[in-house]
Amino acid sequence: MMVVYKWCMPLSSLLLFAAIAWLWHKHSAPSAQWIEWLIPVAAVAAFAAQIATTWNLADEVIDHGDHLRVRRGRIEESVAIADIEKVSVEYAIRPIRVGLALRKPGAFGRRIVFVPSPNSAFGTYGESRVAADLSRRIGSRVSGESVDG
């Protein structure tokens, strides 16, 4: 799903804004020409916001029992469960994000942020099973703090 979050959604928002701009240009009154500049600016702002909020997310996190294999782009790292200090979850953003605070920095720094697999076909509502399981395994509570800090 990371391809959808990192590439398809931002590009589809650009296409949506392009369609709106084209329709506006085709059907607008001459007195509303200023909006033709506002639509591209809004498109670039929306695209930049989507990229900024998804770019640091790991592309893949695979649980191997005693360690996690984390990949973002071409960078791949194995993180031992014992090296995870804290699990935090951001429920206010959809899809939810799980943050792992590491005891020592690795290839991704001191924090790894990823979108967990959903609890069901309808998404993750309530507590994330992935976050709860990781938290249980490292022996701490899942915190509901923001994973961006």
Side-chain angles (χ1 to χ4, degrees):
M1 290 297 295
M2 290 314 299
V3 171
V4 171
Y5 298 133
K6 285 187 172 183
W7 296 103
C8 294
M9 288 176 68
L11 291 175
S12 66
S13 71
L14 279 179
L15 288 174
L16 176 66
F17 276 108
I20 291 169
W22 180 75
L23 288 170
W24 188 272
H25 177 72
K26 188 175 177 181
H27 300 292
S28 69
S31 63
Q33 295 299 318
W34 63 270
I35 198 104
E36 289 184 22
W37 293 101
L38 181 63
I39 292 172
V41 169
V44 169
F47 181 78
Q50 287 178 328
I51 293 296
T53 58
T54 60
W55 203 251
N56 70 333
L57 296 175
D59 294 329
E60 183 178 55
V61 177
I62 299 176
D63 191 346
H64 290 281
D66 63 337
H67 70 281
L68 303 174
R69 187 175 53 108
V70 182
R71 183 184 62 78
R72 185 173 68 211
R74 294 183 180 178
I75 301 171
E76 194 168 307
E77 180 180 23
S78 181
V79 177
I81 296 295
D83 290 340
I84 300 172
E85 187 173 44
K86 180 180 167 187
V87 178
S88 58
V89 183
E90 179 60 56
Y91 288 100
I93 299 173
R94 292 291 174 187
I96 68 166
R97 295 160 188 212
V98 174
L100 306 175
L102 305 177
R103 297 185 194 286
K104 57 185 179 195
F108 304 109
R110 291 192 62 91
R111 294 188 67 71
I112 295 172
V113 182
F114 66 97
V115 174
S117 57
N119 290 345
S120 71
F122 301 107
T124 299
Y125 296 97
E127 185 177 45
S128 166
R129 284 187 288 213
V130 171
D133 179 57
L134 283 171
S135 182
R136 179 189 53 78
R137 288 164 51 198
I138 67 166
S140 73
R141 279 190 22 221
V142 173
S143 73
E145 300 171 2
S146 172
V147 295
D148 295 328

